Amino acid sequence: MNRPSDIGLVGLAVMGQNLVLNMASRGFQVSVFNRTPEVTDAFVAAHPGQHLAGFHALDDFVRSLARPRKVMLMVKAGAAVDAVIGQLVPLLEAGDIVIDGGNSLYTDTERRDAQLAALGLRFVGAGVSGGEEGARKGPAIMPGGPDSTWDELRPIFEAIAARVDGAPCVRHIGPGGAGHYVKMIHNGIEYGDMQLICEAYSLLKAAGLSTDEMAAVFDRWNEGELQSYLIQITGRALAQKDPQTGLPVVDLILDKAGQKGTGQWTLVNAAEQAVVVSTINAAVEARVLSSQKALRVAASTQLQGPLPAIGGDRAALVAQVHDALYASKIVSYAQGLTLMRSMSDRQGWALDLGGIASIWRGGCIIRARFLNRITEACSADPGLQNLMLAPFFREVLNRSQASWRAVVALAVTQGVPVPAFSASLAYYDSLRTARLPANLLQAQRDFFGAHTYERIDRPAGEWFHTVWPEVI
Ligand code: 6PG
């Protein structure tokens, strides 16, 4: 008989398997259960000598766990999570902890948190980022749920998480659905980063750089301010050749982007709170338009525009695209942080934005050197209203803005779509415009609906109405 297990994991798909192996490799005894028993048996058999115990019956699995029991679910987000919780609940005791490590919608997590709390159980929605490799070698983990669960889970999560400068990439994010919410924002930002990189690629391609030349550009960028996992894998992906044809693999991949919904959830949440996340919005919409391949192919023969062919000094263009990418990325993170701050205030979550940026430095998909700067900016000024106004980022934006404009202008002239670059630049310009044309908009509202307006020459809060001429 094995010693009681430190934790149990349900769901042995690839993420679940890798998390289990990560836990076992750190000396934790792990019980595993999968809906299909053969999967459990094959997994345990494939890893002899590890601290693993496989079970075919859920009650045996639960009995094998040390109290308070910790059961981590790595099943598909949605109905499957509720189904497994439904099976587990009768087998658990007061104080036991159920952890959902999938990409669940935070409102589902809030609902499950309340449901389990009413039964005396504890529920933790934990965002886990880093893909298969991260799960095995060290992901970033964003656990929410009751404070009391953190003491119980901390030793395991800190042991399996990625580390940066000795610090584990995990922290208790906040109550209820806060962990899954922050993972959703992570994914929204991931969408923004990926689209911005694709727009840079698109411009370099229009300038005639070969795929190998572009791979070299991304490799070089990864040595500097843009250093990040996504820039790194972009360089690697561009360099990859197809064994059958010898052509770059990326040139053979159909240009239809998939998405599982976390980016759209971010947009819905932002719309609910009237927070602008225009870079993420552009990124989600770019994926949507990319998926309409047949329509685009048809439109390509009917709607006119220039055939992109960017000439001129390539090295200068590469430098400008670098600056446009970096500046746009800063805007995207500023927007994501603003959204988190708004939600934190609304929900009373007290999210530590600097702390969140610090756990994103390792393990997760958006890991990047510049996250250090976000942590520094948040701790230097906890009331910082917008990341773009922090001295470090303000300086980068000010020195990049000329190149950024040149790149967007060039793209527009050449007919190269750069929705995320241009949305980011428009946000930058809107934010730095002291007087926007909303005066006219207020006039229009007052004209057709007597909605009233404030005046620049009278104190705020005094409302005026003009008797406008009649229009028939
Ligand atoms: C991560 C990733 C991961 C997953 C995305 C992909 O942090 O490890 O974000 O969660 O790869 O959900 O999402 P799409 O399929 O929507 O691109």
Side-chain angles (χ1 to χ4, degrees), residues 15 103 128-131 142 183 186-187 190-191 194 258-263 287 364-366:
M15 285 293 284
N103 264 338
V128 178
S129 178
M142 293 150 256
K183 175 60 169 49
H186 165 284
N187 280 27
E190 173 186 304
Y191 274 52
M194 293 167 76
Q259 51 184 325
K260 291 200 277 297
T262 48
R287 289 197 192 194
C364 65
I365 304 296
I366 64 169

Side-chain angles (χ1 to χ4, degrees), residues 225 323 326 392 394-403:
E225 292 169 310
D323 290 354
Y326 192 23
F392 175 84
R394 192 175 63 206
E395 189 275 319
V396 176
L397 291 168
N398 285 339
R399 80 169 137 84
S400 306
Q401 59 94 21
S403 302

Side-chain angles (χ1 to χ4, degrees), residues 12 96 225 290 336 388 446 454 457:
L12 291 173
D96 286 349
E225 292 169 310
S290 82
M388 290 158 65
D446 192 55
E454 293 171 295
D457 54 358

Side-chain angles (χ1 to χ4, degrees), residues 206-433:
L209 273 78
S210 70
T211 315
D212 282 337
E213 284 168 334
M214 289 189 274
V217 167
F218 280 97
D219 286 350
R220 203 172 64 245
W221 285 354
N222 195 43
E223 302 295 317
E225 292 169 310
L226 286 174
Q227 184 283 325
S228 64
Y229 171 72
L230 285 169
I231 292 281
Q232 184 188 16
I233 64 164
T234 300
R236 298 280 165 84
L238 288 168
Q240 187 78 27
K241 300 291 185 295
D242 172 54
Q244 269 123 50
T245 60
L247 295 170
V249 174
V250 287
D251 289 350
L252 298 167
I253 296 178
L254 184 65
D255 53 330
K256 281 172 78 169
Q259 51 184 325
K260 291 200 277 297
T262 48
Q264 285 162 272
W265 296 346
T266 308
L267 300 187
V268 169
N269 177 254
E272 280 167 2
Q273 296 182 75
V275 173
V276 177
V277 289
S278 48
T279 312
I280 299 172
N281 187 49
V284 172
E285 290 182 348
R287 289 197 192 194
V288 173
L289 268 173
S290 82
S291 72
Q292 296 170 2
K293 175 77 175 179
L295 177 64
R296 288 188 291 111
V297 170
S300 71
T301 62
Q302 296 173 51
L303 303 176
Q304 292 180 356
L307 263 187
I310 300 175
D313 181 344
R314 277 192 188 181
L317 178 76
V318 169
Q320 285 183 325
V321 172
H322 169 280
D323 290 354
L325 176 52
Y326 192 23
S328 301
K329 182 179 167 93
I330 291 170
V331 167
S332 181
Y333 281 68
Q335 294 177 344
L337 256 61
T338 302
L339 181 55
M340 281 197 289
R341 182 190 296 281
S342 166
M343 187 66 171
S344 177
D345 292 346
R346 187 165 92 165
Q347 302 285 110
W349 281 342
L351 295 181
D352 173 355
L353 301 186
I356 290 166
S358 81
I359 65 165
W360 286 348
R361 289 179 308 158
C364 65
I365 304 296
I366 64 169
R367 59 187 183 260
R369 178 180 295 165
F370 102 130
L371 286 159
N372 275 320
R373 302 288 174 220
I374 296 184
T375 305
E376 283 162 17
C378 293
S379 48
D381 180 2
L384 184 66
Q385 267 201 303
N386 189 303
L387 186 71
M388 290 158 65
L389 302 180
F392 175 84
F393 294 105
R394 192 175 63 206
E395 189 275 319
V396 176
L397 291 168
N398 285 339
R399 80 169 137 84
S400 306
Q401 59 94 21
S403 302
W404 195 7
R405 281 179 209 295
V407 165
V408 171
L410 180 69
V412 170
T413 313
Q414 291 283 329
V416 178
V418 287
F421 276 2
S422 48
S424 308
L425 181 57
Y427 181 84
Y428 173 84
D429 279 334
S430 297
L431 198 70
R432 63 173 200 89
T433 298

